[in-house]
Amino acid sequence: MRYGRAERLIQLALEMQSTRGGLTLGEIEEKFDVSRRTAIRMRDAVLRAFPQAKEVPTGDRTKRWRLPSGSAQTFTDLTPEDLSVLETAVQAMKQANLESHADNLRTLGAKVRNMLAADKLRQIDPDLEALTEAEGIAHRAGPRPFIPPALFEALRTAIKSCKQVTFHYTARSGASSTKRTASPLGFLYGHRHYLVACEIGQTKPKFFSLPSISKIKVLPDSFERDQAFNLKELVSQSFGVFEEKAHNVVWRFSAEAAPAARQFLFHHSQQCEDTENGELIVRFRAGGLLEMAWHLLKWGDHVEVLEPAELKELMPDAHLSWPALP
């Protein structure tokens, strides 16, 4: 999200107040998607506005800063927009097939409303109703696999307590299932939702499709979580969730498709180049060629794969009848 300068400084002040360990410059860069120089300027502006800000001792060379509780209290009043965003998030979770997350957000919204004084709630309610009616989530057509909320709850419990789990895992064909024992590490959400876990005796995490998991049981056996494990880094070189070596990927979109393609973030490492004839060249490095091919089918003959050769081979012949642009 992009903020105006004043809004970003207010947001940073609230972030520095809400964390017990303080924020580093690197964390400011990541949270606000800014350069190191801008992060330094933002930090310094907050320190000037709030002299009570403190540097948190860490015992190493990394510096952290935080605001004592209550320093930015003036900025914490809830608005109709805040509550409306919560309701929009509930609808988005439902559309993403994450019912348990939607339920948790509903409960959070109710808790927040209960914290408000009655007169404040009466002031907010009319605007909140108007905003809720004005915002909506487009219904995603097509079938979606059912994921029992109890499955999420069991896996969350296991992840938080570092407990192993057993479950039956059904093959994609549906013809057979096998019993697995694994150490759950996290979730990966996308077109399909996955559990990231290490099977017993293995050190490399695997992706298990959540709709294919059944008969889950949390075991009393504990596991030691690898402190070096980072889910973001695990999938940073992938287009989707298929584990595969990274390739140098180059796509060329037609002049007709270029305006629509510019609106997409295909990969966090992408670089875009406009050609003289209005085409768009997109470059990035990632694995997951099959998932790339699935996505590119939506663009039809408005996209050409320049690299890698392996991805070209996965694409159908150009003379087929193509759908409209996405």
Side-chain angles (χ1 to χ4, degrees):
M1 178 181 290
R2 298 289 182 183
Y3 299 91
R5 186 173 182 273
E7 290 174 316
R8 288 200 303 182
L9 293 180
I10 292 172
Q11 183 67 22
L12 177 56
L14 293 173
E15 295 278 357
M16 291 173 65
Q17 180 180 262
S18 65
T19 174
R20 295 180 61 186
L23 290 180
T24 67
L25 285 174
E27 289 168 342
I28 296 173
E29 289 179 69
E30 183 176 355
K31 284 178 179 292
F32 294 90
D33 192 21
V34 296
S35 66
R36 175 55 65 102
R37 180 175 296 181
T38 300
I40 292 173
R41 288 201 295 263
M42 290 174 63
R43 177 208 60 190
D44 291 346
V46 171
L47 295 184
R48 288 194 298 271
F50 297 92
Q52 64 269 46
K54 298 178 181 179
E55 183 176 328
V56 180
T58 61
D60 56 32
R61 299 178 63 182
T62 303
K63 293 186 176 182
R64 294 179 171 272
W65 293 268
R66 74 176 300 272
L67 285 176
S69 179
S71 300
Q73 193 65 37
T74 306
F75 305 127
T76 59
D77 285 345
L78 288 168
T79 67
E81 288 78 11
D82 296 329
L83 296 178
S84 173
V85 166
L86 266 178
E87 179 56 33
T88 302
V90 169
Q91 299 303 318
M93 289 297 101
K94 290 178 66 177
Q95 283 297 103
N97 198 24
L98 297 171
E99 285 287 348
S100 65
H101 296 63
D103 289 341
N104 288 341
L105 280 172
R106 266 194 218 93
T107 301
L108 174 60
K111 290 179 179 178
V112 170
R113 292 173 66 90
N114 285 332
M115 292 171 61
L116 295 174
D119 57 340
K120 181 67 174 178
L121 194 57
R122 283 194 295 271
Q123 294 173 14
I124 285 179
D125 267 342
D127 289 339
L128 175 60
E129 183 177 356
L131 282 173
T132 302
E133 290 179 356
E135 297 183 2
I137 300 295
H139 178 70
R140 187 176 67 186
R144 291 176 291 169
F146 173 69
I147 305 174
L151 176 65
F152 279 112
E153 294 307 314
L155 288 172
R156 283 196 187 119
T157 297
I159 290 171
K160 290 187 294 185
S161 58
C162 290
K163 297 291 186 182
Q164 295 176 4
V165 295
T166 62
F167 54 85
H168 286 253
Y169 194 66
T170 304
R172 187 175 292 272
S173 65
S176 62
S177 67
T178 56
K179 188 175 182 179
R180 311 290 186 96
T181 303
S183 302
L185 301 173
F187 299 103
L188 183 63
Y189 303 125
H191 181 67
R192 293 175 64 88
H193 305 318
Y194 294 85
L195 167 69
V196 183
C198 281
E199 287 198 83
I200 300 305
Q202 304 291 322
T203 57
K204 189 175 182 180
K206 293 183 178 180
F207 299 98
F208 298 93
S209 175
L210 287 174
S212 299
I213 294 176
S214 62
K215 300 180 181 178
I216 187 167
K217 181 179 180 182
V218 180
L219 301 177
D221 305 306
S222 301
F223 68 90
E224 186 173 347
R225 186 182 177 92
D226 183 358
Q227 296 302 312
F229 172 77
N230 185 293
L231 184 58
K232 185 176 180 180
E233 292 180 3
L234 178 67
V235 299
S236 64
Q237 292 297 314
S238 298
F239 187 78
V241 297
F242 290 149
E243 295 180 79
E244 183 179 89
K245 70 174 183 178
H247 299 265
N248 291 322
V249 178
V250 185
W251 300 338
R252 178 165 57 203
F253 291 88
S254 70
E256 181 182 354
R262 289 190 191 97
Q263 299 174 7
F264 280 79
L265 178 64
F266 299 102
H267 193 264
H268 69 88
S269 67
Q270 75 180 35
Q271 294 182 335
C272 296
E273 173 191 345
D274 293 305
T275 67
E276 292 182 358
N277 59 0
E279 296 175 333
L280 178 70
I281 306 293
V282 177
R283 294 182 172 87
F284 58 90
R285 182 170 176 79
L289 298 185
L290 183 57
E291 287 177 293
M292 292 183 203
W294 288 344
H295 176 76
L296 291 177
L297 286 174
K298 301 177 184 178
W299 296 89
D301 55 2
H302 292 285
V303 64
E304 179 186 0
V305 175
L306 302 183
E307 295 182 36
E310 297 92 329
L311 179 55
K312 290 184 185 181
E313 295 173 359
L314 292 174
M315 301 301 295
D317 295 333
H319 68 269
L320 296 178
S321 177
W322 295 106
L325 286 172

